[in-house]
mmCIF file of all heavy atoms in Angstrom:
data_model
loop_
_atom_site.group_PDB
_atom_site.id
_atom_site.type_symbol
_atom_site.label_atom_id
_atom_site.label_comp_id
_atom_site.label_asym_id
_atom_site.label_seq_id
_atom_site.Cartn_x
_atom_site.Cartn_y
_atom_site.Cartn_z
ATOM 1 N N LEU A 1 -21.919 10.788 -5.414
ATOM 2 C CA LEU A 1 -21.441 11.476 -4.216
ATOM 3 C C LEU A 1 -20.791 10.475 -3.272
ATOM 4 O O LEU A 1 -19.715 10.721 -2.724
ATOM 5 C CB LEU A 1 -22.605 12.187 -3.516
ATOM 6 C CG LEU A 1 -22.292 12.854 -2.184
ATOM 7 C CD1 LEU A 1 -21.261 13.962 -2.353
ATOM 8 C CD2 LEU A 1 -23.568 13.389 -1.553
ATOM 9 N N GLY A 2 -21.422 9.318 -3.083
ATOM 10 C CA GLY A 2 -20.936 8.320 -2.141
ATOM 11 C C GLY A 2 -21.657 8.449 -0.809
ATOM 12 O O GLY A 2 -22.463 9.359 -0.597
ATOM 13 N N ASP A 3 -21.359 7.528 0.089
ATOM 14 C CA ASP A 3 -21.981 7.502 1.408
ATOM 15 C C ASP A 3 -21.042 7.991 2.499
ATOM 16 O O ASP A 3 -21.490 8.458 3.546
ATOM 17 C CB ASP A 3 -22.420 6.071 1.753
ATOM 18 C CG ASP A 3 -23.447 5.548 0.773
ATOM 19 O OD1 ASP A 3 -24.404 6.280 0.459
ATOM 20 O OD2 ASP A 3 -23.291 4.403 0.312
ATOM 21 N N GLY A 4 -19.758 7.837 2.293
ATOM 22 C CA GLY A 4 -18.796 8.213 3.319
ATOM 23 C C GLY A 4 -17.391 8.212 2.768
ATOM 24 O O GLY A 4 -17.182 8.148 1.558
ATOM 25 N N VAL A 5 -16.426 8.256 3.695
ATOM 26 C CA VAL A 5 -15.012 8.279 3.330
ATOM 27 C C VAL A 5 -14.312 7.143 4.069
ATOM 28 O O VAL A 5 -14.506 6.975 5.283
ATOM 29 C CB VAL A 5 -14.376 9.638 3.702
ATOM 30 C CG1 VAL A 5 -12.863 9.614 3.532
ATOM 31 C CG2 VAL A 5 -14.975 10.756 2.862
ATOM 32 N N ALA A 6 -13.521 6.360 3.351
ATOM 33 C CA ALA A 6 -12.726 5.299 3.973
ATOM 34 C C ALA A 6 -11.666 5.969 4.840
ATOM 35 O O ALA A 6 -10.823 6.706 4.331
ATOM 36 C CB ALA A 6 -12.077 4.419 2.910
ATOM 37 N N TRP A 7 -11.748 5.739 6.148
ATOM 38 C CA TRP A 7 -10.842 6.421 7.070
ATOM 39 C C TRP A 7 -9.411 5.965 6.854
ATOM 40 O O TRP A 7 -8.493 6.762 6.865
ATOM 41 C CB TRP A 7 -11.301 6.167 8.496
ATOM 42 C CG TRP A 7 -10.977 7.301 9.394
ATOM 43 C CD1 TRP A 7 -10.149 7.263 10.478
ATOM 44 C CD2 TRP A 7 -11.441 8.645 9.308
ATOM 45 N NE1 TRP A 7 -10.086 8.500 11.061
ATOM 46 C CE2 TRP A 7 -10.869 9.372 10.361
ATOM 47 C CE3 TRP A 7 -12.290 9.308 8.430
ATOM 48 C CZ2 TRP A 7 -11.112 10.720 10.557
ATOM 49 C CZ3 TRP A 7 -12.537 10.656 8.632
ATOM 50 C CH2 TRP A 7 -11.948 11.343 9.692
ATOM 51 N N GLU A 8 -9.229 4.674 6.687
ATOM 52 C CA GLU A 8 -7.924 4.117 6.357
ATOM 53 C C GLU A 8 -8.112 3.230 5.139
ATOM 54 O O GLU A 8 -9.218 2.806 4.844
ATOM 55 C CB GLU A 8 -7.367 3.308 7.520
ATOM 56 C CG GLU A 8 -7.069 4.157 8.741
ATOM 57 C CD GLU A 8 -6.537 3.353 9.908
ATOM 58 O OE1 GLU A 8 -6.548 2.097 9.837
ATOM 59 O OE2 GLU A 8 -6.137 3.977 10.898
ATOM 60 N N GLY A 9 -7.052 2.930 4.444
ATOM 61 C CA GLY A 9 -7.164 2.107 3.258
ATOM 62 C C GLY A 9 -7.380 0.640 3.579
ATOM 63 O O GLY A 9 -7.310 0.219 4.734
ATOM 64 N N ALA A 10 -7.669 -0.140 2.569
ATOM 65 C CA ALA A 10 -7.808 -1.589 2.669
ATOM 66 C C ALA A 10 -6.899 -2.201 1.616
ATOM 67 O O ALA A 10 -6.934 -1.795 0.460
ATOM 68 C CB ALA A 10 -9.258 -1.999 2.439
ATOM 69 N N GLN A 11 -6.081 -3.164 2.026
ATOM 70 C CA GLN A 11 -5.138 -3.795 1.103
ATOM 71 C C GLN A 11 -5.828 -4.654 0.048
ATOM 72 O O GLN A 11 -5.345 -4.769 -1.067
ATOM 73 C CB GLN A 11 -4.129 -4.647 1.878
ATOM 74 C CG GLN A 11 -3.229 -3.842 2.783
ATOM 75 C CD GLN A 11 -2.296 -2.939 2.000
ATOM 76 O OE1 GLN A 11 -1.734 -3.342 0.982
ATOM 77 N NE2 GLN A 11 -2.141 -1.715 2.450
ATOM 78 N N ALA A 12 -6.971 -5.255 0.431
ATOM 79 C CA ALA A 12 -7.651 -6.166 -0.485
ATOM 80 C C ALA A 12 -9.130 -6.260 -0.135
ATOM 81 O O ALA A 12 -9.548 -5.860 0.953
ATOM 82 C CB ALA A 12 -7.018 -7.558 -0.397
ATOM 83 N N ALA A 13 -9.903 -6.795 -1.060
ATOM 84 C CA ALA A 13 -11.320 -7.042 -0.797
ATOM 85 C C ALA A 13 -11.447 -7.940 0.427
ATOM 86 O O ALA A 13 -10.661 -8.863 0.616
ATOM 87 C CB ALA A 13 -11.968 -7.703 -2.007
ATOM 88 N N GLY A 14 -12.417 -7.628 1.277
ATOM 89 C CA GLY A 14 -12.641 -8.401 2.487
ATOM 90 C C GLY A 14 -11.994 -7.797 3.723
ATOM 91 O O GLY A 14 -12.391 -8.106 4.841
ATOM 92 N N ASP A 15 -10.982 -6.948 3.553
ATOM 93 C CA ASP A 15 -10.369 -6.275 4.704
ATOM 94 C C ASP A 15 -11.380 -5.310 5.326
ATOM 95 O O ASP A 15 -12.197 -4.722 4.615
ATOM 96 C CB ASP A 15 -9.134 -5.469 4.279
ATOM 97 C CG ASP A 15 -7.945 -6.334 3.907
ATOM 98 O OD1 ASP A 15 -8.005 -7.564 4.110
ATOM 99 O OD2 ASP A 15 -6.954 -5.768 3.402
ATOM 100 N N ASP A 16 -11.317 -5.146 6.636
ATOM 101 C CA ASP A 16 -12.188 -4.195 7.315
ATOM 102 C C ASP A 16 -11.729 -2.766 7.052
ATOM 103 O O ASP A 16 -10.521 -2.487 7.026
ATOM 104 C CB ASP A 16 -12.188 -4.442 8.826
ATOM 105 C CG ASP A 16 -12.998 -5.662 9.221
ATOM 106 O OD1 ASP A 16 -13.842 -6.105 8.424
ATOM 107 O OD2 ASP A 16 -12.780 -6.163 10.335
ATOM 108 N N VAL A 17 -12.704 -1.883 6.855
ATOM 109 C CA VAL A 17 -12.403 -0.467 6.650
ATOM 110 C C VAL A 17 -13.444 0.357 7.411
ATOM 111 O O VAL A 17 -14.639 0.080 7.344
ATOM 112 C CB VAL A 17 -12.364 -0.100 5.144
ATOM 113 C CG1 VAL A 17 -13.676 -0.361 4.453
ATOM 114 C CG2 VAL A 17 -11.923 1.326 4.937
ATOM 115 N N ALA A 18 -12.966 1.338 8.170
ATOM 116 C CA ALA A 18 -13.858 2.246 8.891
ATOM 117 C C ALA A 18 -14.332 3.328 7.934
ATOM 118 O O ALA A 18 -13.535 3.933 7.214
ATOM 119 C CB ALA A 18 -13.140 2.875 10.085
ATOM 120 N N VAL A 19 -15.636 3.560 7.928
ATOM 121 C CA VAL A 19 -16.228 4.556 7.043
ATOM 122 C C VAL A 19 -16.756 5.715 7.877
ATOM 123 O O VAL A 19 -17.535 5.526 8.806
ATOM 124 C CB VAL A 19 -17.373 3.935 6.212
ATOM 125 C CG1 VAL A 19 -18.084 4.999 5.373
ATOM 126 C CG2 VAL A 19 -16.838 2.827 5.325
ATOM 127 N N HIS A 20 -16.300 6.921 7.551
ATOM 128 C CA HIS A 20 -16.794 8.151 8.171
ATOM 129 C C HIS A 20 -17.924 8.661 7.275
ATOM 130 O O HIS A 20 -17.703 8.999 6.120
ATOM 131 C CB HIS A 20 -15.667 9.186 8.248
ATOM 132 C CG HIS A 20 -16.076 10.489 8.843
ATOM 133 N ND1 HIS A 20 -15.945 10.747 10.184
ATOM 134 C CD2 HIS A 20 -16.621 11.592 8.292
ATOM 135 C CE1 HIS A 20 -16.391 11.960 10.437
ATOM 136 N NE2 HIS A 20 -16.803 12.496 9.300
ATOM 137 N N TRP A 21 -19.150 8.669 7.792
ATOM 138 C CA TRP A 21 -20.313 9.067 6.993
ATOM 139 C C TRP A 21 -20.238 10.528 6.579
ATOM 140 O O TRP A 21 -19.792 11.384 7.345
ATOM 141 C CB TRP A 21 -21.603 8.821 7.774
ATOM 142 C CG TRP A 21 -21.772 7.394 8.145
ATOM 143 C CD1 TRP A 21 -21.767 6.874 9.400
ATOM 144 C CD2 TRP A 21 -21.939 6.288 7.262
ATOM 145 N NE1 TRP A 21 -21.920 5.515 9.345
ATOM 146 C CE2 TRP A 21 -22.031 5.127 8.045
ATOM 147 C CE3 TRP A 21 -22.009 6.162 5.882
ATOM 148 C CZ2 TRP A 21 -22.200 3.865 7.489
ATOM 149 C CZ3 TRP A 21 -22.188 4.903 5.334
ATOM 150 C CH2 TRP A 21 -22.282 3.779 6.135
ATOM 151 N N LEU A 22 -20.693 10.832 5.385
ATOM 152 C CA LEU A 22 -20.667 12.207 4.886
ATOM 153 C C LEU A 22 -21.632 13.126 5.619
ATOM 154 O O LEU A 22 -21.467 14.334 5.585
ATOM 155 C CB LEU A 22 -20.973 12.240 3.376
ATOM 156 C CG LEU A 22 -19.917 11.605 2.473
ATOM 157 C CD1 LEU A 22 -20.336 11.714 1.019
ATOM 158 C CD2 LEU A 22 -18.555 12.240 2.685
ATOM 159 N N ASN A 23 -22.636 12.553 6.305
ATOM 160 C CA ASN A 23 -23.603 13.407 6.993
ATOM 161 C C ASN A 23 -23.213 13.703 8.442
ATOM 162 O O ASN A 23 -23.968 14.362 9.151
ATOM 163 C CB ASN A 23 -25.007 12.786 6.941
ATOM 164 C CG ASN A 23 -25.110 11.492 7.724
ATOM 165 O OD1 ASN A 23 -24.103 10.863 8.039
ATOM 166 N ND2 ASN A 23 -26.329 11.085 8.025
ATOM 167 N N LEU A 24 -22.042 13.241 8.890
ATOM 168 C CA LEU A 24 -21.598 13.549 10.247
ATOM 169 C C LEU A 24 -21.149 15.011 10.318
ATOM 170 O O LEU A 24 -20.701 15.574 9.322
ATOM 171 C CB LEU A 24 -20.446 12.630 10.664
ATOM 172 C CG LEU A 24 -20.816 11.170 10.866
ATOM 173 C CD1 LEU A 24 -19.558 10.339 11.155
ATOM 174 C CD2 LEU A 24 -21.807 11.019 12.010
#
């Protein structure tokens, strides 16, 4: 199922990504 959804993409490993939790 996963924990959330990446709000915006990330170009590479280590980039910051905002996660919208599935339980919100």
Side-chain angles (χ1 to χ4, degrees):
L1 175 62
D3 299 314
V5 171
W7 211 242
E8 295 179 351
Q11 295 293 318
D15 288 352
D16 285 341
V17 60
V19 175
H20 179 92
W21 300 114
L22 293 180
N23 66 342
L24 291 175

